[in-house]
Amino acid sequence: MTDNIDFGSSYYEANILDNMVDLCSYRMDVLPARNLTFKVKACRNVALYASSSYNKDSTKPLYEITIGAADDTTRSYIRRRNDASLLKSSRITEHRYIDNVLNCNEYRPLWISWEAGSIMVGSGNVIGENVIVSWIDPYPFIVKSVGIMTIAKTVGEWKVVIPVKDNFTGYYTSCEAPGKRAVLLSLGVVSSSLLECSMMCSQLNSCVVFNYMNDDKRCELLSVGTDPLTDVPKSLAVGWQYYAKCYDENEACFGCFF
């Protein structure tokens, strides 16, 4: 969820990236990525940022893509900003007016892309279809970080499909006390030791979590499937414990960094 912060767009805010949710902290592999698909539930002012900085440096060139701006929520735009001076000469904006892109009560599927300086935003689940607004940057930069935000006191609920690095460390952890079971797509339940269960999950890239019942040695391997995920759903289950894969030198453990 993005909060209802009293923060304007990059037109008014020099340090615009300070309040964005940086998707790199969710292990997004940004450099090879060229697009992002997501679903969002918000009334207005949905904003995404593609920056030439790794560390939220708003003085560096960035793209701001805003959907459902203006009082009537019809304005969507792409803005390139070259620095934090807020001078008119430091920015270029391409906009378009279109109705009913966002909805306060339901998730709407959207996408953005930045392939070879062709900056686009559209609706639906297919990249390149239902384009809302597009702009060709004659001097594109390398996108090094991507973030999301809702501006001007708007709350947004997001489901983002994040392309991640497969750099599993071999380490597992659980964020909560025993007695909970992760509820994800089951890849099967087998009888095994805890060590054997962890080894089976380690050998499957699609396995991100496993549930284990020590009393009767039951092992359940789990995948996220294909749906966007913003949290790991869990249920109370006496005797069970779930274990999540850790990545990036154990700094990001699945289900512990949402």
Side-chain angles (χ1 to χ4, degrees), residues 188-194 196-197 200 211-221 240:
V189 180
V190 298
S191 178
S192 74
S193 69
L194 178 59
E196 290 169 336
C197 188
M200 284 186 286
N211 293 318
Y212 192 74
M213 163 70 86
N214 191 58
D215 290 347
D216 58 8
K217 310 302 180 187
R218 272 189 290 167
C219 164
E220 182 181 30
L221 306 180
W240 285 89

Side-chain angles (χ1 to χ4, degrees), residues 5-162:
I5 56 173
D6 187 11
F7 214 65
S9 70
S10 65
Y11 188 98
Y12 302 102
E13 304 291 345
N15 296 318
I16 188 65
L17 301 183
D18 286 358
N19 286 289
M20 78 171 185
V21 177
D22 188 352
L23 297 183
C24 291
S25 64
Y26 293 81
R27 296 179 45 249
M28 180 175 179
D29 196 5
V30 174
L31 287 178
R34 297 294 180 269
N35 54 66
L36 187 74
T37 59
F38 59 97
K39 295 180 180 179
V40 65
K41 180 167 62 175
C43 296
R44 57 176 61 83
N45 295 324
V46 167
L48 300 98
Y49 298 87
S51 171
S52 61
S53 166
Y54 285 115
N55 58 355
K56 294 187 176 182
D57 184 351
S58 297
T59 67
K60 303 292 185 182
L62 60 84
Y63 299 121
E64 179 180 58
I65 299 170
T66 299
I67 305 161
D71 292 339
D72 58 3
T73 75
T74 60
R75 183 174 181 245
S76 296
Y77 64 82
I78 296 167
R79 173 176 293 136
R80 172 175 171 147
R81 199 182 77 173
N82 292 322
D83 53 49
S85 68
L86 302 184
L87 296 174
K88 184 177 180 179
S89 59
S90 72
R91 60 182 180 264
I92 301 172
T93 305
E94 181 72 22
H95 65 262
R96 184 181 174 191
Y97 292 89
I98 186 169
D99 293 325
N100 300 318
V101 178
L102 300 176
N103 189 286
C104 299
N105 301 308
E106 67 179 39
Y107 286 97
R108 292 289 176 88
L110 297 156
W111 56 266
I112 63 169
S113 67
W114 55 91
E115 177 74 37
S118 178
I119 318 301
M120 295 190 292
V121 56
S123 60
N125 296 304
V126 180
I127 305 294
E129 293 187 359
N130 304 312
V131 175
I132 296 170
V133 60
S134 63
W135 176 67
I136 302 294
D137 187 351
Y139 306 104
F141 54 79
I142 296 173
V143 172
K144 298 177 181 177
S145 64
V146 175
I148 60 176
M149 185 165 63
T150 42
I151 58 179
K153 296 184 177 182
T154 302
V155 174
E157 295 182 34
W158 301 71
K159 297 180 178 181
V160 184
V161 180
I162 301 177

Side-chain angles (χ1 to χ4, degrees), residues 217-234:
K217 310 302 180 187
R218 272 189 290 167
C219 164
E220 182 181 30
L221 306 180
L222 301 171
S223 169
V224 296
T226 57
D227 291 334
L229 187 69
T230 55
D231 197 2
V232 175
K234 310 170 193 72

Side-chain angles (χ1 to χ4, degrees), residues 181-215:
R181 185 177 183 179
V183 183
L184 295 169
L185 177 65
S186 179
L187 300 174
V189 180
V190 298
S191 178
S192 74
S193 69
L194 178 59
L195 178 60
E196 290 169 336
C197 188
S198 67
M199 290 176 65
M200 284 186 286
C201 188
S202 297
Q203 293 168 3
L204 294 172
N205 287 339
S206 58
C207 179
V208 294
V209 175
F210 70 86
N211 293 318
Y212 192 74
M213 163 70 86
N214 191 58
D215 290 347

